[in-house]
Amino acid sequence: MTKDAKQLMEEGWKAREGLEFETAEKLLNEAKVIFEQEGNWFDVTETLNHLAYSEKLKAIHHNLEGMKLAKEAGELATLHSTNKVLVLRALMSLANSAGLFEQALKWGYECLTLFDKPAPRADVLSHIATFQLRTGKLDEAEVTISEAETLLDEGFEGEREPHRSIWKSKILMTKALIMYNKGNLTEGKVCIEEALKIADTQNLKTRTEEIKSVIEIFD
């Protein structure tokens, strides 16, 4: 049985490397069940590791596909002379997920020039602050997130839900990360807890999951 399970595990991770994620997960889970039945806990952990890598590779693959779509949208916006601000927002978000923070910064600054209302500008600034943080510009990030907070407060009542709560929780989450990296854990924890409260109150499930991935560092 162990030999069969090991074969399944090998076929599983090879399928994963071939981007055949559904097949990979099926094979790896089958192997995991056999290892569990045998009490082979070392190989149970191995299959779990392979499944974890599968999730990571899926995210990378999907992000690349997203980048292709956003770039196609950008080409169409240029061709037909339409407003490309939403394209830029998508591109900077995808670049952030891919770790391309310098490129994300460029798109962020370009996006900022296309907004005049305070609340949407605040949202873009919160992204820019994130990119500054990721590129080691900690002091700049702190200034930028402070400006974002001020602008959102200025335009908050003029915006509708859920947008304003999405933007507010994003700003607070980003501020929490900046405070954490500056060693100010107390203020950072206050920010991240407030962000989670807003997300939960407004049932912002995607934002809640994102915040939960951050809040653990303050425990």
Side-chain angles (χ1 to χ4, degrees):
M1 292 287 285
T2 296
K3 183 177 179 181
D4 293 339
K6 284 184 177 293
Q7 182 63 36
L8 286 169
M9 183 167 64
E10 182 172 344
E11 290 174 2
W13 70 256
K14 285 181 177 178
R16 178 199 70 208
E17 293 299 311
L19 303 182
E20 299 171 12
F21 298 116
E22 187 175 342
T23 298
E25 289 165 15
K26 178 179 181 295
L27 292 168
L28 289 167
N29 277 307
E30 286 178 6
K32 177 174 166 288
V33 169
I34 296 172
F35 290 136
E36 286 173 336
Q37 291 171 344
E38 296 180 344
N40 183 348
W41 302 111
F42 175 81
D43 281 321
V44 169
T45 63
E46 282 295 282
T47 54
L48 286 170
N49 287 338
H50 285 307
L51 285 164
Y53 281 123
S54 180
E55 293 299 324
K56 175 186 175 182
L57 286 173
K58 277 197 296 185
I60 293 170
H61 176 67
H62 291 156
N63 197 72
L64 287 172
E65 291 302 307
M67 187 74 77
K68 289 178 185 178
L69 293 169
K71 286 183 175 179
E72 181 181 350
E75 290 168 1
L76 288 171
T78 300
L79 179 63
H80 297 285
S81 301
T82 62
N83 191 332
K84 61 185 294 187
V85 65
L86 295 181
V87 174
L88 289 167
R89 285 177 66 134
L91 283 169
M92 70 180 187
S93 178
L94 289 159
N96 179 44
S97 296
L100 304 173
F101 304 121
E102 291 290 356
Q103 181 59 61
L105 265 173
K106 292 177 182 177
W107 280 325
Y109 285 127
E110 185 178 354
C111 188
L112 194 63
T113 66
L114 301 177
F115 278 121
D116 51 13
K117 292 179 66 178
R121 284 180 64 84
D123 177 53
V124 176
L125 282 169
S126 72
H127 285 82
I128 289 173
T130 298
F131 310 148
Q132 289 171 330
L133 174 61
R134 300 303 186 196
T135 52
K137 302 178 178 74
L138 190 55
D139 291 337
E140 290 181 31
E142 187 173 16
V143 171
T144 300
I145 204 63
S146 178
E147 183 182 349
E149 277 192 293
T150 301
L151 276 176
L152 186 61
D153 288 343
E154 178 185 329
F156 193 79
E157 293 303 324
E159 297 294 334
R160 60 188 175 89
E161 295 290 358
H163 298 84
R164 62 186 188 179
S165 289
I166 291 172
W167 297 339
K168 180 69 173 179
S169 57
K170 164 65 177 173
I171 287 172
L172 286 166
M173 183 179 67
T174 303
K175 184 176 180 181
L177 284 169
I178 293 168
M179 293 300 100
Y180 178 84
N181 280 274
K182 290 182 76 72
N184 191 342
L185 303 187
T186 301
E187 185 176 353
K189 189 169 184 178
V190 170
C191 290
I192 200 67
E193 287 177 346
E194 185 180 350
L196 184 59
K197 183 178 179 180
I198 291 170
D200 283 343
T201 300
Q202 295 297 328
N203 196 29
L204 306 174
K205 293 181 180 179
T206 300
R207 181 69 76 219
T208 296
E209 289 302 304
E210 190 176 5
I211 293 167
K212 284 181 178 178
S213 72
V214 172
I215 203 168
E216 293 180 0
I217 66 175
F218 291 95
D219 293 336

